[in-house]
C-alpha cells in the first residue's frame, strides 16, 4: 500500500496552523525531519506515530490515512454546532460544548478561540476574575501559533476586551499594537488599483466596509461606558443613532437589503430613550420604523442573497450568503429577536395602544 503519511502530516499541520518548527519541538525531532517526511523523502520512525497522533488529536489509523474524512466531517459539524449555540445556546451550554470539543481536538485554534470568547462573555456577566488566566492562556496560544489571520485577530480582540475590562491598560495597548493599522489594510491597498481591471469594485468594497464600520461605531457610541445613561444624554444619543441611519441610507439608498438589520437595531435603541422620556407618540413612530426594517431584512435574507445593491456607491457589490467573512444570524429571524425585546416592561405604558398591537402582529407574521 502506498502510505502518504507525509501528505497527511502536512494537511494536519495546515488545518491546525502549526509550523514545522512547533511540531518538531513537540515530538522531539528536527524541522528538517518534518520537511523530509512531507516531501515524501522518508517516513517517521514507528515509535513516533503515537506522539504525532496525540499532537494532532487523531488516531494512528487516521495518521496512516484511514478515516481522515470522518475526522474532517466531525470537526465541520462541531464548528456548525458552535455557530448554532452562539445564537441560541446559554453561555454555560456553549462553554461545555467548547470544552468537550477541545478535549477531542486540542490543537484546533478556532475551537480554542471560541472557548475564550465564551469565557469572556461569562466574565462580563459574573466578573469572576478566576476566568481571566484561562482566557489569557487560550488567546496567547492562538496568537503565538495560529497562522489563520482571522482567528488570530479574533483572539487578539478578546485579549483587548478582557484587559480593557479589567483596567490593564498597558496589556490592552500591547495587544492593540499586534493589529494592523487601518491605513495598511488590504481594502485600502486594492482601492488604489492593482492593475487587474477591478478598481471600481475595490473602491465600492472599501466604501461598503467603511460605511458599516462607521455606522456601527456611531451606533455603539451611545452605549459606551464613558457616556452616562441619564436623561441629559438621551437627546444626544437619539441624534447619534439617527445620523447612523442617515449614513446607511445615503450610501445604500432604498435598496438596503442586509443593512435593514442595522436600521431596525438603531430604531429600537432610539425607542428605548424616547419611552424613557415619556414620548409615547415618538416611541411608537420609531417602533413602526423598526418593524418595517426588521421585516424587510427578513425578506431580504430569504430572497436577496446573490443580488446586487443598486446605489451609485454599491452597484458592483452583491449581498453575499453567510460565510467566514460575513456573519448573519441563522437560527431565528430578526423579527423574532425584536419581538423578544418588546417584551421588556419599559413598553407596558404603550402595550395596549393599537399602534403597538399592530407592530406586534406584523412582527409575529415573520418571526420564527
Amino acid at each position: 500500500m502506498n502510505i502518504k503519511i507525509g501528505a497527511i502530516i502536512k494537511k494536519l499541520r495546515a488545518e491546525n496552523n502549526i509550523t514545522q518548527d512547533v511540531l518538531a519541538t513537540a515530538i522531539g525531532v528536527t524541522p528538517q525531519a518534518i520537511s523530509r517526511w512531507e516531501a515524501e523523502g522518508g517516513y517517521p520512525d514507528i515509535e513516533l506515530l503515537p506522539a504525532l497522533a496525540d499532537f494532532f488529536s487523531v488516531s494512528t489509523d487516521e495518521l496512516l490515512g484511514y478515516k481522515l474524512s470522518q475526522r474532517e466531517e466531525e470537526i465541520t459539524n462541531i464548528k456548525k454546532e458552535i455557530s448554532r449555540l452562539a445564537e441560541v445556546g446559554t453561555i454555560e451550554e456553549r462553554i461545555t460544548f467548547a470544552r468537550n470539543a477541545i478535549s477531542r481536538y486540542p490543537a484546533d485554534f478556532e475551537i480554542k478561540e471560541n472557548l475564550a470568547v465564551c469565557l469572556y462573555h461569562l466574565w462580563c456577566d459574573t466578573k469572576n476574575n478566576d476566568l481571566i488566566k484561562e482566557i489569557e492562556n487560550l488567546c496567547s496560544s492562538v496568537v503565538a501559533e495560529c497562522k489563520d489571520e482571522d482567528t488570530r485577530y479574533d483572539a487578539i480582540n478578546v485579549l483587548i476586551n478582557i484587559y480593557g475590562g479589567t483596567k490593564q491598560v498597558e496589556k490592552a495597548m500591547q495587544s492593540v499594537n499586534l493589529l494592523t493599522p487601518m491605513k495598511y489594510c488590504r481594502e485600502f491597498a486594492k482601492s488604489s488599483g492593482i492593475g487587474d481591471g477591478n478598481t471600481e469594485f475595490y473602491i465600492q468594497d472599501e466604501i461598503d466596509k467603511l460605511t458599516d464600520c462607521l455606522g456601527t461605531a456611531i451606533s455603539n457610541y451611545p452605549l459606551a461606558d464613558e457616556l452616562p445613561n441619564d436623561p441629559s444624554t438621551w437627546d444626544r444619543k437619539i441624534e447619534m443613532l439617527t445620523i447612523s441611519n442617515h449614513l446607511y441610507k445615503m450610501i445604500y439608498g432604498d435598496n438596503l437589503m442586509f443593512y435593514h438589520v442595522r436600521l431596525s437595531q438603531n430604531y429600537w435603541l432610539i425607542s428605548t430613550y424616547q419611552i424613557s422620556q415619556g414620548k409615547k407618540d415618538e416611541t411608537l413612530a420609531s417602533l413602526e420604523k423598526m418593524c418595517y426594517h426588521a421585516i424587510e431584512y427578513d425578506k431580504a435574507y430569504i430572497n436577496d442573497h446573490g443580488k446586487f445593491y443598486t446605489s451609485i456607491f454599491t452597484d458592483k457589490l452583491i449581498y453575499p450568503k453567510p460565510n467566514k467573512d460575513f456573519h448573519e444570524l441563522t437560527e431565528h429571524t430578526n423579527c423574532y429577536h425584536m419581538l423578544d425585546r418588546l417584551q421588556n416592561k419599559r413598553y407596558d405604558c404603550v402595550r395596549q395602544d393599537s399602534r403597538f398591537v399592530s407592530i406586534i402582529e406584523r412582527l409575529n407574521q415573520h418571526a420564527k
Side-chain angles (χ1 to χ4, degrees):
M1 183 179 70
N2 187 14
I3 298 176
K4 298 287 187 178
I5 189 170
I8 292 171
I9 290 172
K10 186 175 182 179
K11 179 179 176 65
L12 290 169
R13 267 201 321 102
E15 286 178 353
N16 293 283
N17 299 298
I18 300 293
T19 65
Q20 290 181 343
D21 287 345
V22 169
L23 176 57
T25 300
I27 64 173
V29 300
T30 65
Q32 290 77 15
I34 305 293
S35 179
R36 188 168 61 253
W37 301 340
E38 292 184 358
E40 299 186 17
Y43 300 116
D45 292 338
I46 193 168
E47 60 266 23
L48 289 174
L49 294 184
L52 282 164
D54 287 345
F55 182 83
F56 289 115
S57 301
V58 299
S59 67
T60 53
D61 281 347
E62 290 175 286
L63 198 61
L64 292 170
Y66 301 105
K67 299 183 181 178
L68 192 56
S69 60
Q70 181 179 332
R71 173 184 176 276
E72 292 170 341
E73 183 179 355
E74 183 174 4
I75 290 177
T76 297
N77 289 335
I78 284 173
K79 292 178 180 178
K80 285 181 179 178
E81 181 63 6
I82 284 173
S83 296
R84 189 189 73 82
L85 289 174
E87 185 174 343
V88 301
T90 66
I91 192 63
E92 291 79 11
E93 288 172 336
R94 295 170 63 191
I95 289 172
T96 298
F97 185 83
R99 287 197 191 283
N100 290 337
I102 284 180
S103 70
R104 288 187 57 76
Y105 300 104
D108 191 291
F109 291 115
E110 194 174 335
I111 298 174
K112 281 186 178 182
E113 187 272 332
N114 176 263
L115 177 57
V117 169
C118 294
L119 292 172
Y120 168 70
H121 287 311
L122 182 60
W123 176 84
C124 290
D125 291 340
T126 65
K127 294 299 184 286
N128 178 0
N129 288 335
D130 292 339
L131 298 168
I132 294 175
K133 193 63 181 176
E134 184 177 5
I135 295 170
E136 281 187 299
N137 289 341
L138 287 165
C139 291
S140 296
S141 170
V142 174
V143 171
E145 300 172 26
C146 182
K147 301 304 178 185
D148 179 78
E149 62 179 17
D150 290 333
T151 304
R152 184 170 178 270
Y153 288 155
D154 285 342
I156 291 170
N157 276 302
V158 175
L159 286 174
I160 293 168
N161 289 333
I162 195 68
Y163 290 144
T166 54
K167 308 301 182 186
Q168 299 182 70
V169 177
E170 184 175 348
K171 285 187 173 182
M173 187 56 68
Q174 289 172 352
S175 299
V176 167
N177 289 335
L178 295 174
L179 298 171
T180 304
M182 182 182 291
K183 64 180 179 179
Y184 296 121
C185 74
R186 64 173 66 92
E187 287 79 13
F188 277 22
K190 290 193 295 186
S191 69
S192 299
I194 58 174
D196 64 353
N198 293 316
T199 302
E200 187 176 5
F201 169 81
Y202 295 143
I203 291 172
Q204 290 199 5
D205 186 49
E206 181 185 15
I207 290 171
D208 173 58
K209 290 180 170 61
L210 285 173
T211 300
D212 201 30
C213 283
L214 180 57
T216 302
I218 294 172
S219 299
N220 288 338
Y221 195 176
L223 307 178
D225 292 339
E226 292 80 5
L227 197 60
N229 190 27
D230 62 64
S232 67
T233 68
W234 290 344
D235 283 333
R236 182 183 175 193
K237 292 181 176 184
I238 289 171
E239 183 180 3
M240 290 176 182
L241 293 163
T242 301
I243 289 171
S244 176
N245 287 343
H246 289 331
L247 173 66
Y248 285 108
K249 291 177 182 177
M250 178 181 71
I251 298 300
Y252 299 99
D254 294 328
N255 188 25
L256 289 161
M257 291 198 285
F258 168 75
Y259 296 101
H260 280 293
V261 75
R262 302 289 193 240
L263 272 70
S264 69
Q265 167 77 8
N266 286 346
Y267 279 120
W268 168 73
L269 278 173
I270 289 170
S271 80
T272 66
Y273 299 120
Q274 291 171 330
I275 198 73
S276 298
Q277 292 173 319
K279 298 178 178 179
K280 295 182 181 179
D281 286 341
E282 289 89 339
T283 297
L284 291 167
S286 293
L287 290 178
E288 285 168 341
K289 292 175 182 177
M290 174 276 289
C291 178
Y292 167 78
H293 288 290
I295 291 171
E296 289 302 306
Y297 166 72
D298 287 339
K299 289 180 180 178
Y301 181 86
I302 295 171
N303 300 316
D304 293 343
H305 285 119
K307 293 183 179 179
F308 283 89
Y309 288 93
T310 54
S311 84
I312 59 173
F313 297 115
T314 58
D315 58 3
K316 305 298 181 186
L317 307 179
I318 65 167
Y319 174 15
K321 292 184 178 180
N323 58 61
K324 180 181 179 182
D325 299 317
F326 183 73
H327 176 70
E328 288 187 279
L329 300 178
T330 57
E331 295 298 318
H332 293 295
T333 60
N334 192 36
C335 289
Y336 172 94
H337 293 292
M338 288 303 170
L339 272 174
D340 185 59
R341 292 175 181 180
L342 295 187
Q343 302 308 309
N344 190 287
K345 63 182 180 181
R346 66 164 62 94
Y347 296 109
D348 286 352
C349 61
V350 295
R351 198 168 300 281
Q352 303 306 316
D353 189 287
S354 60
R355 293 169 69 187
F356 190 88
V357 172
S358 175
I359 291 166
I360 296 296
E361 290 175 349
R362 290 164 61 200
L363 290 174
N364 265 316
Q365 291 174 4
H366 297 271
K368 70 174 184 70

